[in-house]
Amino acid sequence: MEKTRYQQGVDIIKEYTLTDNEEIGTHMDIVATFKDLAPDLESYIVEFAFGDIYSREGLTKQQQTMVTISSLVTLGTEPQLELHINTGLTIGLTPKEIVGTIVHLIPYTGFPRVLNALKIVKKVFAQRDVKVNE
Amino acid sequence: MEKTRYQQGVDIIKEYTLTDNEEIGTHMDIVATFKDLAPDLESYIVEFAFGDIYSREGLTKQQQTMVTISSLVTLGTEPQLELHINTGLTIGLTPKEIVGTIVHLIPYTGFPRVLNALKIVKKVFAQRDVKVNE
Amino acid sequence: MEKTRYQQGVDIIKEYTLTDNEEIGTHMDIVATFKDLAPDLESYIVEFAFGDIYSREGLTKQQQTMVTISSLVTLGTEPQLELHINTGLTIGLTPKEIVGTIVHLIPYTGFPRVLNALKIVKKVFAQRDVKVNE
Amino acid sequence: MEKTRYQQGVDIIKEYTLTDNEEIGTHMDIVATFKDLAPDLESYIVEFAFGDIYSREGLTKQQQTMVTISSLVTLGTEPQLELHINTGLTIGLTPKEIVGTIVHLIPYTGFPRVLNALKIVKKVFAQRDVKVNE
Amino acid sequence: MEKTRYQQGVDIIKEYTLTDNEEIGTHMDIVATFKDLAPDLESYIVEFAFGDIYSREGLTKQQQTMVTISSLVTLGTEPQLELHINTGLTIGLTPKEIVGTIVHLIPYTGFPRVLNALKIVKKVFAQRDVKVNE
Amino acid sequence: MEKTRYQQGVDIIKEYTLTDNEEIGTHMDIVATFKDLAPDLESYIVEFAFGDIYSREGLTKQQQTMVTISSLVTLGTEPQLELHINTGLTIGLTPKEIVGTIVHLIPYTGFPRVLNALKIVKKVFAQRDVKVNE
């Protein structure tokens, strides 16, 4: 039996965000936060963003997260950047690849966005006790 | 003997942009275009962007270009996007990976930037006679 | 029998874009354009953007389009702005409301984005033979 | 006797921002904050933004605020978004219309800006004891 | 007798844009273009932007235009950038200062916006037969 | 003997940021903060941004900082804006010129970015005990 889009989305979210550290939020927490404001938001995040987009063939999980981080650095939306730096570590981007992704963006987005992003990397790496040379 | 930053940059630019198709511009053409306005621009592009940033360890050429494309889609700067979609094909991103990178950005940058980027992909793929299923 | 998300989306797109003027593109043309690059894009536009988001209760069609136009002016993504100014006229925003929406944005996005948007309004109004005082 | 632009602006600001809750800031507070830095800022906000732009015919107060909120979500400028979500409630946008405006923007600005905006909605609704189903 | 804001604005616009070259547009042309869509736009551009903002004490005309160009490069709004590069030459920024302003932005906005801006500089300098070493 | 790019950069950073107030951060602090994440960042900031770009002829230090501030207001990147408002005071922009730069941007970036920037100006001026009429 084929999985529903919802189940597909939930499974992917788990894969991307499950850690032993309870302090680290997941996309399901976001969904829960806004349940009273817009209950359908759950469907858009779980079914569309994860069940559809993250389920596409063609990119590996590591590539998907690298692409996501690149866009979030460029947008400057920091809460999401924090979430996806965490996601990156969870699905196996090396600390070096995460830092490398962000530093590579200097010529395209300029230093300010990159430095603000690295501040978040520093926070997440400290929280997860990760070093860049690992 | 160690290569100079300039030589390092030129070598990388060649690797990223050398094709048999003379219609496809390279970063050296850009440098030439602005030589009269700002002769030092050559050094910033060749030595800094390529000699320094693209020479960093940690990301593969394919990853660097994926990251670049993600940022350019988010910024909406189309001439550079065209250049780096070309670059992507030249250094071995598959057409599927290029399209996958851009489609993956829908949840982060929205449809308008993604659709405008895909228009450019279509143009470049036609120019280079590339199909997405290759 | 309940409509599928796809049918729901197609019906809404028709409502928003059906005109007698064949020169005016619709969202189905966009979907067709990119079918070879990313066949699933159709589902994201038809099922998610229209079948889900535009089907939400709470805003009228006129309000939805006003909100869309405001965001597109702020982003500066002109092809989509042209499409949705057309959409606005089709679903019954008055020319005065469309211009009013854009002029209202001066204090928030500044003159450049507003003037570039009004240039597109001028083009669309001329194409559809619409005057602002109607 | 015709009102001056200043008086016109002050009247509109009152209409948009007068609440019984003294914790909720108004545009006049902003003007006061910056009086020492740039005393003429008062004239630009009161006379231009409100006396001119908000006095235009063509959009209702509800429409003006919906358009404003859409642009501020897209820009990601959160202090102003908070002010205008408050304004929206004061001039009679329903909670559902405010949430609906922001959720409608997902396809145009992506999830990050929308989720950051909904966090502010949650804060303002709590502060004013407003529920989305009212 | 004190000048009206309108007269003040018109005088400043003349000062910034009057050249012998009829091909070069001025802000009054923009105002004329949109007269049918929004007749009050004239007042916002002439009275507010020029009559108020450009009449402020504290910055020289050269500084005002440098600041304007910096913002337009960062926004990437090209028609306005073209207009204000012209304005810059007219009120006495040297070609070197204009190019210097734009190149200085590389670390802040990245190369793409800077290169797109220099393309416009090249066009304007050619049109006005200006060389960067003058 | 010619200075190295590194020495050139360090000298310029000192000139721009040296104050008696130890609370005010400098670019060297940033470099130190990220040394573990990306040791080469030091070279990009010191050698490229300052050793290359800030060493260009053509703009005065005051002009360079005005241009920088204009771009940072437009981007909305606040930590960097705070740093460069400090820089501006240190290298001799008058408080009036700093405020004038930011207020001049209203027509180009809109009020939200300008008001958020003025909040930072207020903070920096208070910290350094500076008044706008000096």
Side-chain angles (χ1 to χ4, degrees):
Chain A
M1 208 187 87
E2 217 189 322
K3 279 200 264 189
T4 60
R5 289 169 72 233
Y6 184 82
Q7 195 50 52
Q8 174 80 356
V10 168
D11 288 354
I12 293 179
I13 289 176
K14 277 190 197 152
E15 220 178 330
Y16 274 78
T17 54
L18 218 60
T19 67
D20 294 335
N21 188 335
E22 291 184 8
E23 280 176 51
I24 298 168
T26 80
H27 294 82
M28 297 314 282
D29 299 327
I30 297 171
V31 158
T33 306
F34 296 122
K35 209 162 191 111
D36 53 332
L37 286 188
D40 53 340
L41 203 65
E42 175 169 10
S43 140
Y44 309 147
I45 292 179
V46 177
E47 299 183 4
F48 173 63
F50 289 91
D52 290 345
I53 299 293
Y54 274 79
S55 299
R56 298 187 86 234
E57 280 181 14
L59 300 188
T60 64
K61 282 194 297 253
Q62 288 75 15
Q63 288 175 323
Q64 288 182 329
T65 307
M66 215 172 234
V67 164
T68 302
I69 289 174
S70 305
S71 184
L72 295 173
V73 172
T74 309
L75 286 172
T77 51
E78 305 196 348
Q80 287 73 35
L81 187 56
E82 181 174 338
L83 184 62
H84 286 277
I85 291 167
N86 266 301
T87 295
L89 292 173
T90 304
I91 53 85
L93 282 177
T94 65
K96 204 170 187 172
E97 283 172 323
I98 292 174
V99 171
T101 296
I102 296 173
V103 170
H104 185 75
L105 292 170
I106 295 173
Y108 302 107
T109 69
F111 284 95
R113 297 253 186 255
V114 165
L115 294 173
N116 292 341
L118 288 177
K119 231 177 292 176
I120 296 174
V121 169
K122 221 174 143 74
K123 179 185 160 192
V124 173
F125 282 14
Q127 194 183 16
R128 292 178 71 147
D129 201 18
V130 159
K131 298 226 172 339
V132 83
N133 294 324
E134 278 164 23
Chain B
M1 208 185 87
E2 220 188 321
K3 278 199 266 188
T4 61
R5 288 169 72 234
Y6 184 81
Q7 194 50 52
Q8 174 79 357
V10 167
D11 288 354
I12 294 179
I13 290 177
K14 277 192 196 150
E15 219 179 331
Y16 274 78
T17 55
L18 218 61
T19 67
D20 294 335
N21 188 335
E22 291 184 7
E23 280 176 51
I24 298 168
T26 82
H27 294 83
M28 297 313 283
D29 299 327
I30 297 171
V31 159
T33 306
F34 296 121
K35 209 162 191 113
D36 53 332
L37 286 188
D40 53 340
L41 203 64
E42 175 168 11
S43 141
Y44 309 147
I45 293 180
V46 177
E47 298 184 3
F48 172 64
F50 288 92
D52 290 344
I53 300 292
Y54 274 79
S55 299
R56 298 187 88 235
E57 279 182 15
L59 299 189
T60 64
K61 282 195 296 254
Q62 288 76 15
Q63 288 174 324
Q64 287 182 330
T65 307
M66 215 171 233
V67 165
T68 302
I69 289 174
S70 303
S71 184
L72 295 172
V73 172
T74 309
L75 287 171
T77 52
E78 306 196 349
Q80 288 72 34
L81 186 56
E82 182 174 338
L83 184 62
H84 286 277
I85 291 168
N86 265 301
T87 295
L89 291 173
T90 304
I91 52 86
L93 282 179
T94 65
K96 204 169 186 174
E97 284 172 324
I98 292 174
V99 171
T101 294
I102 296 172
V103 170
H104 185 75
L105 292 169
I106 294 173
Y108 303 106
T109 69
F111 285 94
R113 296 252 186 257
V114 165
L115 293 173
N116 292 341
L118 288 177
K119 232 178 292 178
I120 295 174
V121 169
K122 221 174 143 76
K123 179 184 160 193
V124 173
F125 282 13
Q127 194 183 14
R128 292 178 72 146
D129 202 18
V130 158
K131 297 224 174 341
V132 83
N133 294 324
E134 277 164 23
Chain C
M1 206 185 88
E2 218 188 322
K3 278 199 266 191
T4 60
R5 288 167 73 233
Y6 184 81
Q7 194 51 52
Q8 175 79 356
V10 167
D11 288 354
I12 293 179
I13 290 176
K14 278 192 194 149
E15 221 178 330
Y16 274 79
T17 56
L18 218 62
T19 67
D20 294 335
N21 189 335
E22 292 184 8
E23 281 176 50
I24 299 168
T26 81
H27 293 83
M28 296 314 281
D29 298 328
I30 297 172
V31 159
T33 306
F34 296 120
K35 208 161 192 114
D36 53 333
L37 286 187
D40 53 340
L41 202 65
E42 175 169 10
S43 142
Y44 309 146
I45 293 179
V46 176
E47 299 183 3
F48 173 64
F50 289 92
D52 291 345
I53 299 292
Y54 275 79
S55 299
R56 297 187 88 236
E57 280 182 15
L59 299 189
T60 65
K61 283 195 296 253
Q62 288 75 17
Q63 288 174 325
Q64 287 182 329
T65 307
M66 214 172 235
V67 165
T68 302
I69 289 174
S70 304
S71 183
L72 295 172
V73 172
T74 308
L75 287 171
T77 52
E78 306 197 350
Q80 288 72 34
L81 187 56
E82 181 173 339
L83 184 62
H84 286 277
I85 292 168
N86 266 301
T87 294
L89 291 173
T90 304
I91 52 85
L93 281 179
T94 65
K96 203 169 187 174
E97 284 172 324
I98 292 173
V99 172
T101 295
I102 296 172
V103 170
H104 184 75
L105 292 169
I106 294 172
Y108 302 106
T109 68
F111 285 95
R113 296 252 186 257
V114 165
L115 293 174
N116 292 342
L118 288 176
K119 232 177 291 177
I120 296 174
V121 169
K122 221 174 143 75
K123 180 185 160 193
V124 173
F125 282 13
Q127 195 183 14
R128 292 178 71 147
D129 203 17
V130 159
K131 298 224 171 341
V132 83
N133 294 323
E134 277 165 22
Chain D
M1 207 186 88
E2 219 188 321
K3 279 201 265 191
T4 60
R5 287 168 74 232
Y6 184 81
Q7 194 50 54
Q8 174 80 357
V10 168
D11 288 355
I12 293 179
I13 290 176
K14 277 190 196 152
E15 219 178 330
Y16 274 79
T17 55
L18 218 61
T19 67
D20 294 335
N21 188 335
E22 291 185 6
E23 281 176 51
I24 298 168
T26 80
H27 294 81
M28 297 313 282
D29 299 326
I30 297 172
V31 159
T33 306
F34 296 121
K35 209 161 192 113
D36 53 331
L37 286 188
D40 53 340
L41 202 65
E42 175 169 12
S43 142
Y44 309 147
I45 292 179
V46 177
E47 298 184 4
F48 173 63
F50 289 92
D52 290 346
I53 298 293
Y54 275 79
S55 299
R56 298 188 86 235
E57 281 182 15
L59 299 188
T60 65
K61 283 195 296 253
Q62 288 76 16
Q63 288 174 323
Q64 287 182 330
T65 306
M66 215 171 234
V67 165
T68 302
I69 289 174
S70 304
S71 183
L72 295 172
V73 172
T74 309
L75 287 171
T77 52
E78 305 196 350
Q80 288 72 34
L81 187 57
E82 181 174 338
L83 183 62
H84 286 278
I85 291 167
N86 266 301
T87 295
L89 291 173
T90 304
I91 53 85
L93 281 179
T94 65
K96 203 170 186 172
E97 283 171 324
I98 291 173
V99 171
T101 295
I102 296 172
V103 171
H104 185 75
L105 291 169
I106 294 173
Y108 302 107
T109 69
F111 285 94
R113 297 253 187 256
V114 165
L115 293 173
N116 293 341
L118 288 177
K119 231 177 292 177
I120 296 174
V121 168
K122 221 174 144 75
K123 178 185 161 193
V124 173
F125 282 13
Q127 194 182 15
R128 293 178 70 147
D129 202 17
V130 159
K131 298 225 173 340
V132 84
N133 293 323
E134 278 166 20
Chain E
M1 207 186 87
E2 220 190 320
K3 279 201 266 189
T4 60
R5 288 167 74 232
Y6 184 81
Q7 195 51 51
Q8 174 79 356
V10 168
D11 288 355
I12 293 179
I13 290 176
K14 277 191 195 150
E15 220 179 330
Y16 274 79
T17 56
L18 217 61
T19 67
D20 294 336
N21 188 337
E22 291 184 7
E23 279 176 51
I24 299 168
T26 81
H27 293 83
M28 297 314 282
D29 299 327
I30 297 172
V31 158
T33 306
F34 295 122
K35 209 162 192 115
D36 53 332
L37 286 188
D40 53 340
L41 202 65
E42 175 168 12
S43 142
Y44 310 147
I45 292 179
V46 177
E47 299 183 3
F48 172 63
F50 288 91
D52 290 345
I53 299 293
Y54 275 78
S55 299
R56 298 188 87 236
E57 280 181 13
L59 299 189
T60 65
K61 282 195 296 253
Q62 288 76 16
Q63 287 174 324
Q64 288 183 329
T65 306
M66 215 171 235
V67 165
T68 301
I69 288 174
S70 304
S71 183
L72 295 172
V73 172
T74 309
L75 287 171
T77 52
E78 305 196 350
Q80 288 72 35
L81 186 57
E82 180 174 340
L83 183 61
H84 286 277
I85 291 168
N86 265 301
T87 294
L89 292 173
T90 304
I91 53 84
L93 282 178
T94 65
K96 204 170 186 172
E97 284 172 323
I98 291 174
V99 171
T101 295
I102 296 172
V103 170
H104 185 76
L105 292 169
I106 294 173
Y108 302 106
T109 69
F111 285 95
R113 297 252 186 258
V114 165
L115 293 174
N116 292 341
L118 288 176
K119 232 177 291 176
I120 296 175
V121 168
K122 222 174 143 74
K123 179 185 160 193
V124 172
F125 282 13
Q127 194 183 15
R128 292 179 71 147
D129 202 17
V130 159
K131 299 225 173 336
V132 83
N133 294 323
E134 278 166 20
Chain F
M1 207 186 86
E2 218 187 322
K3 279 200 265 190
T4 60
R5 287 168 74 232
Y6 184 81
Q7 195 50 52
Q8 174 80 357
V10 168
D11 288 354
I12 293 180
I13 289 176
K14 277 191 196 150
E15 219 179 331
Y16 274 79
T17 55
L18 219 61
T19 67
D20 295 334
N21 189 336
E22 291 185 8
E23 281 176 50
I24 298 168
T26 80
H27 293 82
M28 296 314 281
D29 299 327
I30 297 172
V31 158
T33 305
F34 295 121
K35 207 157 194 119
D36 53 333
L37 287 187
D40 53 341
L41 203 64
E42 175 168 10
S43 141
Y44 310 147
I45 293 180
V46 177
E47 299 183 3
F48 173 64
F50 288 92
D52 289 345
I53 299 292
Y54 275 78
S55 298
R56 299 188 86 236
E57 280 182 15
L59 299 189
T60 65
K61 283 194 296 255
Q62 289 75 16
Q63 288 174 323
Q64 287 183 330
T65 307
M66 215 172 233
V67 164
T68 301
I69 289 174
S70 304
S71 184
L72 295 172
V73 172
T74 309
L75 287 171
T77 51
E78 306 197 350
Q80 288 72 33
L81 187 56
E82 182 173 338
L83 183 61
H84 286 278
I85 291 168
N86 266 301
T87 294
L89 291 173
T90 303
I91 52 85
L93 281 179
T94 66
K96 204 170 187 173
E97 283 172 324
I98 291 174
V99 171
T101 295
I102 296 172
V103 170
H104 185 75
L105 292 170
I106 294 173
Y108 302 106
T109 69
F111 285 94
R113 296 254 186 255
V114 166
L115 293 173
N116 292 341
L118 288 177
K119 232 177 292 177
I120 296 174
V121 169
K122 223 175 142 75
K123 179 185 160 194
V124 173
F125 282 13
Q127 195 183 14
R128 292 179 70 147
D129 202 17
V130 158
K131 299 224 172 340
V132 83
N133 294 324
E134 278 165 21

